[in-house]
Amino acid sequence: MYPKTWLSEHLLCFDRYFTQLLLPELMLKFLMTDHTPGLTVLKAEVDSEGCDLVLSCGPALQCIQVKTLGRRASPVNYAIKASSANLLEGCELWLCYDNESFKRTNDHFLAGAPGEPLGTHIPSSRAQMHKNVEWMARDGCVHVKTRNANHKNIGIAQLASVLFGPPSSRRIACPKT
């Protein structure tokens, strides 16, 4: 077993690794259900506003902030940028994994209702940062927990539907030759 601090020291690598595992699963799901490679993936080179990925499929667009979560991890507060909470297309995705095998498991997803920003589902508390045993407010951030997710323990098929609607709404018309 690895030391507790090891995981936090390598968190960026874990975030990237699990995001890289998600994308082919999602693309394969679209290919198998829609029979079209209709998923566009844009990755942020600079993540100053909390948007790690932008995914689009047909007319739908999602600005996703990705977090990783070990299945046996205790519930913690995640700080997200208030500006991403105000996006109509903004959402929070927790990519869950098993702490021992590091295999992906089911995910948690938090988004606003259609036409509503993500922030309508987030409690109004401000995020805080621990510094010298005192808690300080982090300007421009809000707290969110996995318990706030409006879709919990979902697999790749449910995630595809939550992100972009049922397969019939994702079909892209191909010109006949």
Side-chain angles (χ1 to χ4, degrees), residues 2 17 21 34 36 47 55 58 69-70 74 77-78 82 84 90-91 104 117 125 129 135 147 165 173-174 176:
Y2 52 87
Y17 172 73
L21 289 179
D34 298 356
T36 180
D47 177 18
L55 301 180
L69 176 66
S74 61
N77 286 326
Y78 290 89
S84 84
C91 58
R104 272 187 28 80
S125 66
M129 178 172 59
W135 288 94
R147 73 172 180 228
C174 295
K176 293 185 179 182

Side-chain angles (χ1 to χ4, degrees), residues 139-152:
D139 290 333
C141 293
V142 292
H143 277 151
V144 66
K145 293 185 178 193
T146 55
R147 73 172 180 228
N148 299 121
N150 43 13
H151 301 279
K152 297 177 183 128

Side-chain angles (χ1 to χ4, degrees), residues 2 18 23 26 29 36 63 102 121 160:
Y2 52 87
F18 288 109
L23 295 175
L26 203 52
K29 189 65 182 165
T36 180
C63 299
F102 296 112
H121 289 284

Side-chain angles (χ1 to χ4, degrees), residues 9-19:
E9 291 168 2
H10 298 88
L11 190 59
L12 182 59
C13 291
F14 273 85
D15 285 348
R16 296 278 159 70
Y17 172 73
F18 288 109
T19 300

Side-chain angles (χ1 to χ4, degrees), residues 38-99:
L39 181 67
T40 301
V41 179
L42 305 170
K43 293 183 186 178
E45 189 168 326
V46 177
D47 177 18
S48 61
E49 295 303 318
C51 185
D52 300 314
L53 286 174
V54 176
L55 301 180
S56 73
C57 183
L61 178 81
Q62 293 288 349
C63 299
I64 303 172
Q65 184 170 21
V66 178
K67 303 288 185 188
T68 54
L69 176 66
R71 292 300 292 162
R72 294 192 189 104
S74 61
V76 295
N77 286 326
Y78 290 89
I80 65 169
K81 291 278 195 172
S83 55
S84 84
N86 293 328
L87 289 173
L88 288 178
E89 305 85 9
C91 58
E92 192 76 18
L93 175 63
W94 288 271
L95 300 174
C96 300
Y97 62 91
D98 179 76
N99 280 346

Side-chain angles (χ1 to χ4, degrees), residues 27 30-39 170-172 174:
M27 287 183 196
F30 287 132
L31 282 169
M32 300 304 289
T33 57
D34 298 356
H35 309 293
T36 180
L39 181 67
R170 297 191 300 249
R171 295 208 192 282
I172 298 172
C174 295

